[in-house]
Amino acid sequence: MGVLNIAIKEFEVGIRTKRFYATIFMFFILALVSIKTTNMFRGDSPITLNIEQLYNTPFQALFLSSFASAFNYAIALLGILLGATSINQEIRDGTIKLLYSKPIYRDTIIWGKLLGSILTIAVTVGLFYVFMVGIALIFGKPVTGYDISRLLALYPFTVLYGLAFYSLGLLLSVLIKTPINSLVAGVLAFIFIAIIIPVIVAPLAAFVIAGSPQISYSPAEFQMSNISNGSTVAYEVAYNPFEDKEFMEWMDKYMNVYRKITYISLTQDFGEITGIMFGRKTTEDILSAMGQLFSIEEEGNYKLVEERSIGEAISLVMGNIAALFISIFIFLIPAYLKFAKIDLR
């Protein structure tokens, strides 16, 4: 029995479980709700006008909105929960002893499971994309060539991202004997990577390293202005920190530290890949135009997106892509070494 045979077996077993059908249902609901929210592109409300000024297509707005986080988290949980029971569940049920009783190496087992899980993740993500496009067409939402090309370009990186979390789950599965405990550990690991690092650790560390922001604004900028009747009134000179050179230098330092720390957060890496792939401007561009963005209601001509080729988008996120690849090996190597010595009885 070779790697391919084990992969096919793993895939067939995976798509027959209740967990797989629950995942597909969850992705269907996510696609349905997210596409329905693009109703903000229809009508003549101020919200509609603002959204259309910021983005070019409904799908672009979708993948650059809070939906992106839900999609991001769903793929991460799918991967880590698949991996967290891939080994210890079979050891507990005794099915792996039947597999190992055949003339087969342990590395064949683990690589076969890895390949089978890649197929499972790929099929799940593919179905989700089909749901999204199909539901969009049913509700009469425009699906442009730009959207399709970006979805296709994002697809392999989505599978890669799911594989990174599967590798983490696989490591937990060989380290923790009880499947339920490894599932709990997987959820906790997801919370740490997806929430604690980018929301707590990175901002605090960046603030400590960058220090307090230097703001040149002072009470002296309150001035007196003469009015027609000769009296005077006090008024405050409008202050925009994003037009303050010292503040922007501090912000650049803060964001550089923050981005370096969040490279270890796989959810942040994939979020950056998704955003850049769908044309979101880089952090540097957005920061440099924050003053204009704050006055968008008056200016009405600033977009959060820009036209860029898929090749250019990939070049901008090479560091994030590399982080996903590196994380896979960081998790897989100890998982492989541990599995080579684990007691399969």
Side-chain angles (χ1 to χ4, degrees):
M1 180 177 288
V3 171
L4 187 58
N5 300 101
I6 295 177
I8 294 174
K9 168 188 170 293
E10 185 77 6
F11 174 70
E12 289 178 345
V13 171
I15 62 175
R16 291 175 182 172
T17 61
K18 293 180 180 179
R19 181 170 54 187
F20 176 78
Y21 292 113
T23 301
I24 293 298
F25 178 75
M26 179 191 69
F27 275 97
F28 176 79
I29 296 300
L30 180 60
L32 179 63
V33 172
S34 60
I35 292 299
K36 282 291 291 182
T37 62
T38 56
N39 279 330
M40 58 185 157
F41 264 84
R42 306 180 68 176
D44 300 320
S45 68
I47 295 178
T48 300
L49 296 177
N50 284 339
I51 292 297
E52 290 179 343
Q53 288 165 0
L54 294 174
Y55 307 105
N56 295 322
T57 71
F59 268 75
Q60 194 174 58
L62 193 63
F63 275 89
L64 298 180
S65 68
S66 57
F67 157 78
S69 296
F71 174 60
N72 193 333
Y73 294 162
I75 296 296
L77 285 171
L78 168 66
I80 201 168
L81 294 181
L82 277 176
T85 57
S86 58
I87 299 296
N88 51 20
Q89 182 74 45
E90 290 212 36
I91 293 176
R92 191 193 68 174
D93 296 342
T95 54
I96 201 167
K97 288 190 292 186
L98 297 176
L99 186 64
Y100 189 60
S101 65
K102 302 179 182 298
I104 189 173
Y105 294 103
R106 291 197 181 195
D107 57 347
T108 303
I109 297 175
I110 199 167
W111 297 127
K113 283 183 166 292
L114 184 68
L115 180 57
S117 296
I118 291 175
L119 293 174
T120 303
I121 293 170
V123 168
T124 305
V125 174
L127 287 174
F128 175 66
Y129 283 175
V130 170
F131 291 156
M132 289 185 64
V133 173
I135 293 171
L137 294 175
I138 291 173
F139 283 106
K141 306 296 171 64
V143 181
T144 66
Y146 176 92
D147 297 322
I148 296 298
S149 65
R150 262 49 187 184
L151 285 173
L152 291 175
L154 186 62
Y155 179 75
F157 298 113
T158 308
V159 177
L160 178 68
Y161 170 64
L163 176 61
F165 270 98
Y166 173 83
S167 302
L168 173 57
L170 184 66
L171 175 59
L172 295 175
S173 185
V174 298
L175 291 175
I176 303 174
K177 292 183 178 181
T178 309
I180 187 65
N181 290 343
S182 61
L183 285 173
V184 172
V187 172
L188 293 176
F190 162 77
I191 292 173
F192 180 75
I193 292 173
I195 299 174
I196 294 179
I197 291 178
V199 176
I200 300 176
V201 176
L204 287 177
F207 188 81
V208 170
I209 295 174
S212 301
Q214 300 298 318
I215 300 176
S216 59
Y217 178 64
S218 68
E221 289 178 290
F222 283 86
Q223 300 178 0
M224 304 300 291
S225 175
N226 292 322
I227 57 176
S228 58
N229 60 9
S231 62
T232 58
V233 294
Y235 75 97
E236 181 182 353
V237 175
Y239 173 72
N240 185 347
F242 297 100
E243 293 177 354
D244 186 320
K245 182 180 179 181
E246 292 183 359
F247 178 82
M248 290 307 297
E249 289 176 352
W250 173 84
M251 179 63 75
D252 288 338
K253 183 178 180 181
Y254 176 91
M255 290 305 300
N256 284 333
V257 175
Y258 179 85
R259 283 198 296 269
K260 288 177 181 178
I261 296 174
T262 54
Y263 269 125
I264 63 177
S265 174
L266 303 180
T267 54
Q268 289 292 108
D269 289 316
F270 183 65
E272 186 70 7
I273 294 171
T274 301
I276 295 298
M277 192 67 69
F278 271 90
R280 193 203 68 213
K281 289 188 176 182
T282 62
T283 303
E284 293 81 1
D285 289 338
I286 293 176
L287 286 177
S288 64
M290 285 302 289
Q292 184 182 0
L293 183 59
F294 278 142
S295 61
I296 188 171
E297 292 182 359
E298 299 175 5
E299 299 291 338
N301 58 0
Y302 184 81
K303 283 184 177 291
L304 291 175
V305 296
E306 63 184 13
E307 293 294 332
R308 67 166 64 100
S309 66
I310 292 176
E312 181 184 358
I314 293 175
S315 69
L316 290 174
V317 292
M318 285 302 298
N320 303 101
I321 295 172
L324 294 181
F325 273 110
I326 292 171
S327 65
I328 291 173
F329 287 102
I330 288 176
F331 298 139
L332 273 183
I333 291 174
Y336 172 77
L337 295 176
K338 178 64 177 177
F339 181 69
K341 299 177 181 180
I342 198 173
D343 184 5
L344 299 180
R345 292 176 294 177

